[in-house]
Amino acid sequence: MNNENKFSVNPSTNKKFLIPDDIDDRVNIENFINKNSNKKIVVVQGLGFVGAVMSLVCANSIKEDYAVIGVDLPNKENFWKIETINEGVFPLEAEDKKIDSFFQKSIDKGNFYATYDPYAYSLADVIIVDINLDVKKNSVKNNILDSYDVDLSSFKAAISSIGDHCNEDTLILVETTVPPGTCMEVVKPIIKKKYQERGFDTKNIKIGHSYERVMPGPNYIDSIQNYPRVFSGINDKSVEASKKFLETIINTKEYPLTLLNGTNATEMAKVLENSYRAMNIAFIVEWSRFAEKSNVDLYKVVNAIRQRSTHSNMMLPGIGVGGYCLTKDPLLASWSKQEMFHDEPLTMSEEAVKINDQMPYFAFEFFKNQYLKSLSEKNVLFLGVSYRGDVGDTRFSPVELIYDLFIKDGAKVYLHDPIVSFWEEKNIKVENYISKLLKNKIDVIVITTGHSAYKNDEIVKLIMKKTSLTIYDTIGLLNQKQIKLLKTKHNLFVLGRGDN
Amino acid sequence: MNNENKFSVNPSTNKKFLIPDDIDDRVNIENFINKNSNKKIVVVQGLGFVGAVMSLVCANSIKEDYAVIGVDLPNKENFWKIETINEGVFPLEAEDKKIDSFFQKSIDKGNFYATYDPYAYSLADVIIVDINLDVKKNSVKNNILDSYDVDLSSFKAAISSIGDHCNEDTLILVETTVPPGTCMEVVKPIIKKKYQERGFDTKNIKIGHSYERVMPGPNYIDSIQNYPRVFSGINDKSVEASKKFLETIINTKEYPLTLLNGTNATEMAKVLENSYRAMNIAFIVEWSRFAEKSNVDLYKVVNAIRQRSTHSNMMLPGIGVGGYCLTKDPLLASWSKQEMFHDEPLTMSEEAVKINDQMPYFAFEFFKNQYLKSLSEKNVLFLGVSYRGDVGDTRFSPVELIYDLFIKDGAKVYLHDPIVSFWEEKNIKVENYISKLLKNKIDVIVITTGHSAYKNDEIVKLIMKKTSLTIYDTIGLLNQKQIKLLKTKHNLFVLGRGDN
């Protein structure tokens, strides 16, 4: 291990944590359990955007008094999360106030502990699998998807680790988005083998699948606790145990559970759900180009169409689709269809990802066709770096590609975001105060993320004080009144609008 | 004109009408007008699925007492409609009771007349264009779309005919689904030229566009009268006149009008609306194959996903998309983008049509993979020939291709439909009474259309009386209880379900 890899750093605070060589945390775990005697134990595997918040929801169960142990790996990427939680700081910056109050309550109750020691699994009544399963994309110029691959090795290792330590009666509830077929073809065989090795009765294996619909943002907690849930199990026992557990963390009175017949079905539901969304975004891309060509305001057209209940979910034009799910789930599905079921790929769903990946490039092209001048040495201000309005998540943000394209053309780009203060993927600081940035000479302002903070007239007022510049709205954020005012002084154009 | 072309035949009644050589109907028209003096005159051009019903809505305006003249061509396809209306019979078989009562009221009031004489346009305050604008598809084996073309010549001729006769003050309201750009690039130049030739002031030209969202079926009238409307005009005068007129035929109090900026925008809205629908149908096709392969019931999965309001419009698997609109509108749009705006095609929207066209073929393939036996000499009963449940419209019905494939494989196919008694496109009689057909020896029953009549248990009871046969549900019409019962005796499988 080289020196740099000895530490895991909290990217928000820059605080460094020394990664232990020895993964024995048994004393602390038992200490925690002793303080929480008589409580059922929930272990959450993975402390990312889902697992960390899922831990809070379990620690604040609506029906049970659980002791919750979050487990992650003692490596550079994850170890700081474990230590940060145990120091009393939640590892995610979130706009949902419930996050803070849930975390504070868990501290007061002393029922949430984080560790890297898989020994925790041996104490669990329920283990929730919330680790990531990534798709490796190989893209060529302008982000065109060329090929992709799914590597199950770390997922398999995580399941094996559970199988090595869990009890015979533990419920393993998979929440990770997986290629359909994974619970039956990957998880079950691994656990079965471990049960046999450990002399457990394989009839007692309980594996459930219930995918999360977590939406980072102002309703983070509610997107788990107050949201419809689909679930399944590999057998009746698994279904029963999963149901019983889910009823303790989800408000099933208002949001009744939906049982599907088998884990293939729930696994497919999750990736289909996200592929549908990705497809509907991709669909509108070529219509944006059409609107731009034919002097049509596509935002108005789509809003007119949305009045029909059968068309209420049509997407608006935009800079691109980001986040962790929509950019990969269609590929997970297509990979499964090919590799697990030896069938043709999901061509349309793959095509949707391919188109969406290129959206920031199309947005840049439209800019260049309107702006005409060289970008070299121009001062450009980006409003927003996260992938979605009012969300502090920059993973796979479409802003990344358009940022790269502006930089490549010689622009100097200032970054603003009201929530994100550090852009991890680009390793750049992001300014939270817009007035500070507007003190600079600015040639171009690009509205890149739909944060609520950008929708009020204060920012328009600030921009009206600047000398004439170019404003490019890539997401149709500005309203008609704002556009009219800004146009009295500035040059302005909107993606997906030909009537600029 | 050969002898056959001298007559126009009502396909429902087989009644023949001699097509006149002389197109002068002036006396009758003036007679009609004299009986309706002091009324404003609305002329509807085209008496098809939209124009005929639109005429009724105008004749029963919620605010004005209009005299309505329906105009169609004195040819084989259309002349019978004109004569049938004037004989007091409505030319469409419709499941909406309002159709009969609206038609009866117009007879009582004497304010609806049909003619083939364009002289009618000269009397019109408003002319509504409701003629068809078709796409010519060139498809190869298994209905794969190879190329297509849009021929505007008859549309142009119809507009010219209006321009030759209309008044200087007439509002021309286009309802026909047209390639975006048509009102500005085709209609306006034709009318302008005619105005100039006739010495009219071209400033007085009034052309509006307001597309219909007519849905044949039990809510036929309401899909015009009680439904949101989008409209536009080529100038302020046109907008004002269109608005004023639409307010007299649509319940705009409950369904306020939406004005878009220019006819390009409303023309695009219509084809985008239908392309969205076509796309969402095409999207689910490959997932049906995935579900079949992976033992998943896709109907259940989709219903579970639909609980999310953002996903409520996901489509269910099915035999195919039919009807007049979804099968061509994406192509009209793509044609416009290429021919009128000299841009790339709408690739995804074209692809959606291409996939949907093949759905009946996929449905047949799935059948063959499950049935395994030869179809030669087998007695097959199709339940439903129309393109959609509870609708008597067989235009572009997906049942047509799967019917052809069964026939080609040597099957003898009996046809049932509770609404359609004659399948125009195939020139075949269709039986309305299922018990009659079930007296035959039946080897295979294929559920092809989602008519409500097929959803009750009576039909299941009748089928249970038959000796063991194969049932193929191509649209997920049967419920779990019915499936369970039928399976006790018969062989049954459902498209889009792998857990058969």
Side-chain angles (χ1 to χ4, degrees), chain B residues 4 7-19 75-93 103 421-422 424 427:
Chain B
E4 205 204 323
F7 292 94
S8 173
V9 183
N10 180 343
S12 305
T13 61
N14 274 323
K15 186 165 175 176
K16 278 183 172 184
F17 299 91
L18 182 67
I19 299 169
N75 59 18
K76 211 182 145 196
E77 289 72 34
N78 298 297
F79 181 66
W80 67 268
K81 295 176 197 166
I82 296 165
E83 293 298 283
T84 304
I85 286 170
N86 292 338
E87 283 181 353
V89 178
F90 197 66
L92 299 176
E93 291 179 54
F103 188 53
S421 47
F422 187 77
E424 266 185 75
N427 202 27

Side-chain angles (χ1 to χ4, degrees), chain B residues 203-260:
Chain B
K203 281 201 206 87
N204 290 327
I205 295 178
K206 291 198 285 289
I207 301 170
H209 181 258
S210 177
Y211 61 92
E212 43 78 21
R213 283 157 163 168
V214 166
M215 182 54 73
N219 304 311
Y220 217 141
I221 294 280
D222 280 343
S223 71
I224 297 176
Q225 218 177 39
N226 287 296
Y227 214 75
R229 266 273 175 162
V230 177
F231 79 107
S232 65
I234 62 160
N235 52 30
D236 289 348
K237 258 185 204 171
S238 305
V239 167
E240 196 41 52
S242 302
K243 181 170 177 282
K244 223 175 127 187
F245 172 69
L246 289 169
E247 281 170 349
T248 65
I249 58 158
I250 292 160
N251 174 8
T252 52
K253 221 170 163 180
E254 273 183 73
Y255 301 93
L257 298 171
T258 302
L259 171 65
L260 290 183

Side-chain angles (χ1 to χ4, degrees), chain A residues 9-28:
Chain A
V9 183
N10 180 343
S12 306
T13 61
N14 275 323
K15 187 165 175 178
K16 278 183 174 184
F17 298 91
L18 182 68
I19 299 169
D21 289 330
D22 178 9
I23 59 156
D24 187 353
D25 191 35
R26 199 175 283 225
V27 174
N28 289 325

